[in-house]
Amino acid sequence: MSLVFLARENLPAWIGRLYQDMAVFAPMTINGVAAFRALGQDEIPDLSRIPASSPKAAVFPQTETLFTFTSRKHADDLSQVDIDLSYHLAEVPRVILGARPCDARGLKLMDPVFGGKVKDPYYLARRERTIIVSQACAMPDRACFCPGTGGGPYDPAGSDLLLLPVADGWLAQGLTEAGEKLLAQDLFTPAGDREPEAQSLKDKAEAYLAQAPDMRGAEQAFENLFKDEAFWDQATAGCVRCRICAYLCPACTCFNITDEESGLKGERIRTWDHCMSYMFTQEASGHNPRMQKAFRMRNRIGHKFCYYPQLHGGTVSCTGCGRCVRACPSGIDIRRIVESMKRKGA
Amino acid sequence: MSTIDLLREAIRAKLPDLDMVLAWGGDDPLRASPLFIRTESDLENLAAPHLYVSNLAVNLYSLRSKKIGLVVKGCDSRSVIQLLKEGLIARPSLYIFGLPCEGVVDAAKINREIPDAGRATGLAVRSGRVMVQTPENEHILDLDAVLADRCLRCRYPNPLIYDQLIGEAIPVGEIPDLYQDLDEFEALSLDARHDFWMETMRRCVRCYACRNACPLCVCKAHCVADSREPHWLTLETNVSQKWFFQVLHSMHLAGRCTECGECERACPMGLPILLMRRKLNREIRELFGYEAGLDLMTTPPLSTFSIEEENIAEREL
Amino acid sequence: MSSLPNPYLPSLARILEVVVETPDIKSFRVELCDEAARESFTFEPGQVAQLSVFGTGEATFVINSPPTRREYLQFSVMRVGEVTGRLHMLQAGDKLGLRGPLGNHFPYQDMRGKDVVFVAGGIGMAPLRTLLLFMLDNRGDYGRIRVVYGARGPANLCYRQEMEAMRDAGQIELILTVDQKSPDWAGQVGLVPNLLMELAPPADNCVAVTCGPPIMIRYTLAALEKLGFADENVVTTLERRMKCGVGLCGRCNVGGTLICVDGPVFTRAQLKALPDEF
Amino acid sequence: MSVVDGKEPSVKELRIIGFLCNWCSYGGADTAGVSRFSQPTDLRIIRVPCSGRVTPLFVVKALMSGADGVLVSGCHPRDCHYSEGNLYARRRLEVLKRFLPTLGIEPERFEYIWVSASEGERWQTSVTAFTERIHALGPSPAVKVNRYDARLVAGGL
């Protein structure tokens, strides 16, 4: 497919037009931290930084209503109550703008979870209405390791449209029909001879990431180390059990379900959950199969690098985006854990 | 000998008597991570002192059954004092290496200053300047521009409790205006302050890193924020829930918080949440002349009372 | 609304009767409100369902009436937490939500022609009751049926009258036991695994089905191994904290196996292939 | 403001939560009622064992959940049934009152006072004054928060 050019100064106009037809999720930088959000009118995203959060909330919101329930008491017999249940699926089309290739891959990792044997209608309704416009990573940083998970800074997988950075804008490459459609605008001009410039940035980015450790093929090592409590204790020593790693992860999908009510009305909500929390597996009886944080970390690593790959043809549930590494308050680096696991458990 | 060599030797000498020593290490050029030293070989991973950004006291409560060696900066030592004072940890199971501190760099500030800070390969501090090396550039910054906020208003560069001091105590410099940021914030209109929290809490992802990185938040899995009975909070990630949690956290720290700033440093969204805690601290200072974590003897002001309160007027309607 | 079925949406059910089994266990006999749904509801012994108390939440319980008896679905609930606490406040006529059936079931086809020994502790009798009643309703298919069932005290034995009636009718052999002596108890005293060893059922052509607190299960499995039961002839049903019940929410895994969809029923042979994380 | 004896035409009632200690202020309110002192009806009373039971979070939670004002009332200092509960309360509630403006909430929405069981008249004047104050301030800060949340939900889809 041919490339077209979008000048940096035309980005706001393009977003303005997209905004007419769909919700736009894009990174906004505040206080030095870029995070995805649904843009308001005339808000201009910052595509220059690697966003601290992933855009997964666009398809899997941190909180969503599964259904509402309303109790109706019978006027003639107040002990008789009818309960009405109703639910609503997303209808508004949306575009994720400024996703990174690792983010697009993250959605691809979530798809088989929510669209497998059991179909999750809430996720699928959003997913079907979502267009992904990714920006290739010309400037990966030291926390990035996408090639080690099967991706790459210019990996087109999962994107509808890929923006390749050049000095004064982007070369846009349509990858799907939906992506191509977004290009049918006078704001885009022929790419001319800009392709070598984009190519050279790509080469540099890939060279920068050449040392990324391979996170794949650790299934056996994990199983071998499963009972090595000292290993997991050490890997988890600094963990303060916050939820950063799971909440910023483009591939984490675990969730909680709770009820909230007020008077005769209420709703059942689904919220992101986190496996490093003691409460995650705490049973009402008092029994907890993952009492210690080391066991919870073991499950976290196992899920991403053993159980998920065993179910999905060796693909790890990690895109190498590096967000957990960048933001961990204790500097825990998932690369180091998997590397030493592969070494010790070989 | 340099500070790091002194520290290494001090730890090496005490290590046989201790289950582990908590210090800072790792290979990130912009910040060190907690380093759990169990064997001598772990000592090779010690990082340079201007990167000792985290407060290791956060680990003490969960390790209270062990014999722990701990390296503290002046600010960290206040958390240790507060934990001891509240009876949450015991002094005999603790060996404290006190480290006079000239300030630590704040990686978030460097990230704001330098677009390619994420690619940094090295950092050096020399005579008030910070050199950050990246594959393409060498950036030079003023140290004051990238020091952690708490260092800019530091009054206790020397630890207030220790078994052994590493190197020489540092003379305490001029004490800057402690609450200038708060004064500026309070000069805003009530509505503007309200809106500020709305916009701030909007960005909160409710990861509880602020709570979990706090050395004085010791309720862990029993935090009321995670409880359904009583049901203080729902799991909804709307502004009202997130805001209420911040108030709840601040309130539970009133008269206990030492302003170590870990809540703010741990926040992945860079939210200025220490402000709330600082406000409570200022009021407690003005009302009761009290600051947390300075000594082992005084009672925290909200755990006691005076029959005649000097600074509280009778309220009438 | 979409054409996809919504796996999170419960059906409404009505409580027909509440039976007080023990001081902290009640059985709820419920039926689906919608008549067509009621007619088409099928399940296998050992499958579970999620019960909702709207406003409080959902929890997983085994359907402990057998599929052969269709007048109601029975769930026995021990009061331990938020949802079970609210369930215990409900009465006949109240409405709740029901999502199911979920999970796998007891391999009753493989047990045909064999002797069966049930080993249960406390509320762990509930899932076994399903299979027990199912076998009684197909009595000719199975050999000797023995039940070893224990609880803290006599008052904590669930379904006691029901099981004693089965014994008196000669349908099963029954050993009831309590942990501690008490003046109102003339029966056996002692822990379930110990009584099982005393009973020493021959492992030959026999299947053992067990459920109870984790510690009891552990000792029971050891006892069964000593008695010579092959791993594939030992069946248990597991519990985990569950939310979605359909394999998505991610908390009930043991290794890559999800208790909610791949379980809750496992043979010991299957358990041995899983990581040791119970 | 509506008034029990109906002398004043009612304006829209607001929601004011009163946390009253069991031993003094609840009695004071009762005395006011028994003496047939007219009082505004905006106050919803929650009886607590002691003003020392009132954590500042009760007040914040009430305000954030839609209360337009919160009044805490206990025994006079030195008169606490448990001898010192109100003295602890005084410190906590004073800190809270000074904290509220930093959150962008008018500190006037919250007040704490001491009313004994015999002070029916003092109760009447206090509750009337507080209710007037809250009416002057208008509806609760939660209204703004909820409006903000609703806008985000619409934007977040």
Side-chain angles (χ1 to χ4, degrees):
Chain A
M1 253 168 270
S2 67
L3 297 172
V4 287
F5 174 71
L6 176 69
R8 191 176 306 279
E9 63 266 23
N10 282 337
L11 180 71
W14 187 42
I15 291 171
R17 291 193 201 168
L18 296 177
Y19 188 84
Q20 303 292 314
D21 303 323
M22 55 191 90
V24 182
F25 288 82
M28 291 285 289
T29 295
I30 299 168
N31 205 16
V33 177
F36 281 92
R37 61 156 76 175
L39 295 187
Q41 193 154 18
D42 300 328
E43 279 187 331
I44 304 303
D46 171 18
L47 301 188
S48 71
R49 288 168 189 271
I50 299 175
S53 61
S54 92
K56 72 176 172 188
V59 289
F60 175 43
Q62 190 166 2
T63 303
E64 73 180 306
T65 303
L66 292 176
F67 54 83
T68 56
F69 42 85
T70 314
S71 299
R72 277 186 293 110
K73 292 189 175 178
H74 288 211
D76 45 349
D77 177 2
L78 292 176
S79 71
Q80 289 289 307
V81 177
D82 281 334
I83 298 171
D84 295 326
L85 305 181
S86 73
Y87 72 101
H88 169 82
L89 299 178
E91 285 156 10
V92 180
R94 62 207 62 216
V95 58
I96 299 172
L97 192 133
R100 300 299 176 118
C102 49
D103 296 326
R105 274 171 50 78
L107 296 181
K108 276 173 65 89
L109 295 173
M110 286 163 66
D111 287 343
V113 176
F114 289 117
K117 237 183 287 172
V118 173
K119 308 264 183 277
D120 186 294
Y122 304 92
Y123 176 87
L124 294 175
R126 291 197 182 81
R127 189 68 170 98
E128 284 160 12
R129 289 164 178 77
T130 302
I131 302 172
I132 302 163
V133 178
S134 300
Q135 182 189 210
C137 284
M139 290 284 273
D141 72 17
R142 65 182 181 281
C144 292
F145 57 100
C146 52
T149 62
Y154 279 65
D155 179 14
S159 301
D160 295 291
L161 190 64
L162 189 63
L163 302 176
L164 312 172
V166 287
D168 52 347
W170 298 269
L171 301 188
Q173 182 181 20
L175 299 163
T176 65
E177 201 179 313
E180 285 275 329
K181 262 192 197 163
L182 302 186
L183 298 177
Q185 312 231 9
D186 52 0
L187 295 169
F188 293 86
T189 55
D193 55 1
R194 304 296 301 273
E195 213 177 327
E197 184 190 344
Q199 182 64 39
S200 113
L201 286 169
K202 178 184 179 194
D203 294 343
K204 274 189 202 155
E206 285 175 351
Y208 180 83
L209 290 170
Q211 300 303 314
D214 194 346
M215 308 287 276
R216 293 163 295 183
E219 294 91 328
Q220 192 56 53
F222 174 78
E223 287 178 354
N224 293 346
L225 279 183
F226 192 89
K227 289 193 168 180
D228 188 342
E229 284 189 27
F231 175 84
W232 296 109
D233 266 339
Q234 233 155 40
T236 321
C239 173
V240 295
R241 314 164 192 82
C242 74
R243 305 168 182 197
I244 287 179
C245 48
Y247 286 5
L248 301 188
C249 178
C252 274
T253 53
C254 290
F255 60 82
N256 199 348
I257 299 176
T258 50
D259 280 15
E260 294 303 338
E261 71 176 339
S262 171
L264 294 174
K265 281 188 176 171
E267 51 186 29
R268 179 157 296 168
I269 58 170
R270 154 157 85 187
T271 45
W272 293 353
D273 209 346
H274 180 26
C275 55
M276 286 310 296
S277 153
Y278 179 86
M279 309 298 286
F280 191 61
T281 52
Q282 171 70 39
E283 290 165 20
S285 67
H287 180 62
N288 191 340
R290 294 178 209 134
M291 199 76 103
Q292 299 161 33
K293 67 177 178 180
F295 295 166
R296 304 197 284 274
M297 179 65 90
R298 177 177 70 188
N299 184 64
R300 178 165 182 78
I301 298 292
H303 190 176
K304 291 192 171 298
F305 301 102
C306 178
Y307 313 146
Y308 187 98
Q310 282 171 345
L311 290 171
H312 299 99
T315 306
V316 293
S317 177
C318 168
T319 70
C321 72
R323 291 193 173 96
C324 55
V325 180
R326 273 178 220 110
C328 177
S330 311
I332 292 178
D333 189 331
I334 200 164
R335 292 173 294 192
R336 300 291 103 83
I337 298 178
V338 173
E339 274 178 322
S340 61
M341 185 171 90
K342 283 175 106 171
R343 205 168 45 237
K344 269 196 93 177
Chain B
M1 270 207 282
S2 69
T3 309
I4 188 166
D5 291 332
L6 288 170
L7 181 60
R8 189 180 292 117
E9 290 320 307
I11 297 174
R12 195 193 306 278
K14 288 302 290 185
L15 195 54
D17 308 335
L18 301 165
D19 289 327
M20 64 178 99
V21 175
L22 274 53
W24 296 270
D27 51 10
D28 188 319
L30 301 190
R31 57 161 190 172
S33 340
L35 178 67
F36 293 72
I37 300 168
R38 295 179 180 86
T39 62
E40 283 210 10
S41 63
D42 295 332
L43 283 168
E44 288 158 27
N45 297 326
L46 271 185
H50 49 260
L51 303 180
Y52 293 175
V53 64
S54 59
N55 181 347
L56 300 170
V58 70
N59 299 292
L60 291 180
Y61 182 69
S62 44
L63 293 172
R64 65 195 179 284
S65 61
K66 297 218 166 18
K67 180 100 174 115
I68 297 293
L70 178 78
V71 190
V72 296
K73 311 184 289 290
C75 48
D76 307 337
S77 73
R78 294 181 61 190
S79 306
V80 176
I81 289 173
Q82 192 63 27
L83 287 166
L84 286 168
K85 182 185 330 211
E86 294 181 21
L88 295 164
I89 55 171
R91 188 69 179 87
S93 61
L94 206 59
Y95 186 88
I96 304 171
F97 302 90
L99 188 74
C101 172
E102 294 180 311
V104 294
V105 296
D106 180 343
K109 286 190 183 175
I110 300 177
N111 275 313
R112 279 200 292 269
E113 296 285 329
I114 309 174
D116 59 344
R119 293 157 73 92
T121 53
L123 177 146
V125 178
R126 243 170 268 129
S127 51
R129 297 287 166 107
V130 177
M131 263 80 65
V132 180
Q133 189 69 47
T134 69
E136 293 83 12
N137 301 299
E138 191 185 52
H139 303 276
I140 298 177
L141 302 163
D142 271 343
L143 180 58
D144 280 354
V146 294
L147 274 182
D149 282 343
R150 68 177 185 278
C151 304
L152 295 173
R153 48 178 180 254
C154 177
R155 288 175 297 144
Y156 305 99
N158 300 305
L160 301 178
I161 189 173
Y162 55 83
D163 294 299
Q164 180 182 356
L165 196 67
I166 308 297
E168 299 289 318
I170 293 172
V172 181
E174 197 180 321
I175 296 165
D177 183 355
L178 280 181
Y179 288 108
Q180 194 193 339
D181 55 337
L182 194 54
D183 287 337
E184 283 166 15
F185 181 70
E186 294 191 329
L188 299 173
S189 74
L190 206 65
D191 275 346
R193 280 174 256 165
H194 193 275
D195 293 347
F196 170 84
W197 291 116
M198 296 297 95
E199 281 299 320
T200 299
M201 289 305 126
R202 173 183 179 179
R203 286 145 61 208
C204 167
V205 291
R206 208 171 170 183
C207 66
Y208 288 131
C210 47
R211 175 188 73 182
N212 293 28
C214 174
L216 290 165
C217 266
V218 291
C219 299
K220 306 288 175 197
H222 305 288
C223 178
V224 289
D226 290 327
S227 141
R228 278 188 64 91
E229 289 176 318
H231 201 45
W232 281 100
L233 287 156
T234 76
L235 292 180
E236 291 157 288
T237 35
N238 53 28
V239 164
S240 42
Q241 297 296 316
K242 295 188 285 194
W243 197 32
F244 185 68
F245 173 72
Q246 286 303 325
V247 175
L248 187 151
H249 189 223
S250 305
M251 286 283 185
H252 283 172
L253 287 166
R256 307 175 63 225
C257 172
T258 63
E259 296 185 28
C260 73
E262 282 293 86
C263 47
E264 202 163 293
R265 185 189 67 85
C267 179
M269 295 293 129
L271 306 182
I273 45 181
L274 184 61
L275 194 65
M276 275 192 200
R277 284 95 181 142
R278 279 166 50 71
K279 165 67 177 175
L280 285 167
N281 271 358
R282 178 163 77 176
E283 295 309 326
I284 282 169
R285 247 163 76 114
E286 284 176 8
L287 282 168
F288 311 115
Y290 178 89
E291 280 181 87
L294 295 187
D295 68 277
L296 285 166
M297 298 317 292
T298 49
T299 309
L302 296 187
S303 304
T304 183
F305 59 83
S306 303
I307 292 171
E308 302 295 338
E309 294 285 1
E310 230 174 287
N311 299 318
I312 303 177
E314 276 302 292
R315 307 206 77 92
E316 293 285 341
L317 272 163
Chain C
M1 299 227 179
S2 110
S3 53
L4 282 176
N6 187 334
Y8 303 104
L9 199 66
S11 307
L12 290 178
R14 181 185 304 119
I15 297 176
L16 300 173
E17 191 184 352
V18 181
V19 182
V20 179
E21 305 278 4
T22 77
D24 57 3
I25 299 173
K26 286 182 178 180
S27 288
F28 296 85
R29 296 178 172 168
V30 309
E31 67 172 12
L32 293 174
C33 295
D34 181 74
E35 204 178 324
R38 191 154 68 223
E39 292 306 314
S40 63
F41 190 91
T42 57
F43 68 101
E44 298 275 15
Q47 283 196 290
V48 299
Q50 292 261 11
L51 294 185
S52 291
V53 185
F54 296 106
T56 303
E58 244 181 349
T60 315
F61 304 97
V62 69
I63 308 171
N64 71 49
S65 51
T68 40
R69 304 182 187 184
R70 296 190 56 86
E71 55 271 40
Y72 53 78
L73 301 167
Q74 178 170 302
F75 301 88
S76 297
V77 177
M78 185 155 88
R79 195 180 62 235
V80 286
E82 193 193 3
V83 175
T84 54
R86 271 288 293 273
L87 272 168
H88 269 240
M89 291 156 79
L90 298 183
Q91 299 168 346
D94 286 342
K95 302 240 166 61
L96 39 73
L98 190 154
R99 217 150 49 88
L102 305 166
N104 71 352
H105 57 85
F106 288 112
Y108 60 88
Q109 308 93 325
D110 303 343
M111 300 179 187
R112 284 201 185 115
K114 294 183 180 170
D115 294 343
V116 184
V117 53
F118 290 94
V119 188
I123 187 70
M125 192 61 220
L128 305 197
R129 177 185 187 265
T130 324
L131 184 61
L132 179 61
L133 293 181
F134 178 83
M135 287 182 166
L136 295 189
D137 291 344
N138 298 279
R139 193 64 190 85
D141 291 349
Y142 303 93
R144 282 174 77 174
I145 297 178
R146 280 172 281 208
V147 179
V148 182
Y149 176 42
R152 266 171 298 155
N156 304 104
L157 287 163
C158 223
Y159 324 119
R160 181 171 159 195
Q161 285 178 334
E162 184 183 50
M163 286 197 288
E164 284 173 344
M166 293 175 199
R167 176 192 62 197
D168 296 344
Q171 294 171 308
I172 63 169
E173 296 158 46
L174 178 67
I175 298 177
L176 294 177
T177 176
V178 297
D179 290 354
Q180 280 164 348
K181 274 187 196 162
S182 89
D184 55 345
W185 181 250
Q188 298 269 11
V189 176
L191 299 175
V192 168
N194 300 344
L195 269 105
L196 176 66
M197 286 305 287
E198 279 174 34
L199 179 70
D204 188 40
N205 197 40
C206 184
V207 181
V209 189
T210 182
C211 185
I215 183 88
M216 187 216 88
I217 295 197
R218 193 176 320 149
Y219 284 103
T220 300
L221 293 179
L224 289 167
E225 194 156 353
K226 264 191 224 154
L227 293 169
F229 279 79
D231 287 341
E232 47 283 359
N233 287 334
V234 176
V235 179
T236 186
T237 169
L238 294 180
E239 193 193 31
R240 271 282 158 120
R241 181 178 170 89
M242 293 177 195
K243 282 290 179 179
C244 73
V246 292
L248 298 177
C249 78
R251 75 197 61 234
C252 70
N253 68 307
V254 178
T257 299
L258 295 168
I259 303 299
C260 69
V261 288
D262 304 321
V265 177
F266 294 92
T267 65
R268 184 142 204 238
Q270 289 168 322
L271 288 186
K272 278 191 170 166
L274 294 180
D276 182 18
E277 191 180 51
F278 296 102
Chain D
M1 176 183 350
S2 47
V3 169
V4 272
D5 62 5
K7 264 184 253 164
E8 282 182 47
S10 64
V11 295
K12 189 179 174 340
E13 202 172 83
L14 292 178
R15 276 175 299 188
I16 301 173
I17 307 293
F19 292 100
L20 272 57
C21 91
N22 178 49
W23 302 99
C24 291
S25 297
Y26 195 83
D30 203 31
T31 305
V34 170
S35 316
R36 301 194 150 270
F37 296 148
S38 75
Q39 293 174 53
T41 55
D42 307 45
L43 190 77
R44 308 283 188 278
I45 292 174
I46 297 174
R47 179 156 61 157
V48 290
C50 174
S51 54
R53 171 68 185 91
V54 180
T55 129
L57 291 170
F58 282 4
V59 178
V60 180
K61 178 82 177 165
L63 289 173
M64 289 193 181
S65 304
D68 304 296
V70 179
L71 181 64
V72 176
S73 185
C75 307
H76 286 276
R78 296 175 195 271
D79 284 350
C80 175
H81 184 79
Y82 306 99
S83 76
E84 52 197 33
N86 54 356
L87 302 175
Y88 285 106
R90 181 167 60 187
R91 286 194 161 198
R92 294 176 197 149
L93 297 173
E94 180 66 22
V95 169
L96 170 71
K97 194 156 171 66
R98 290 161 174 247
F99 184 45
L100 288 176
T102 302
L103 297 175
I105 297 174
E106 299 93 337
E108 297 82 9
R109 290 192 183 278
F110 161 63
E111 199 54 83
Y112 66 96
I113 52 169
W114 318 121
V115 175
S116 79
S118 60
E119 296 176 316
E121 205 173 333
R122 177 175 158 86
W123 174 256
Q124 180 204 29
T125 46
S126 299
V127 81
T128 306
F130 188 64
T131 306
E132 281 168 1
R133 187 205 276 182
I134 298 303
H135 273 268
L137 286 169
S140 134
V143 172
K144 267 167 77 182
V145 184
N146 292 339
R147 212 177 283 146
Y148 189 89
D149 272 335
R151 192 162 62 77
L152 288 188
V153 169
L157 315 147

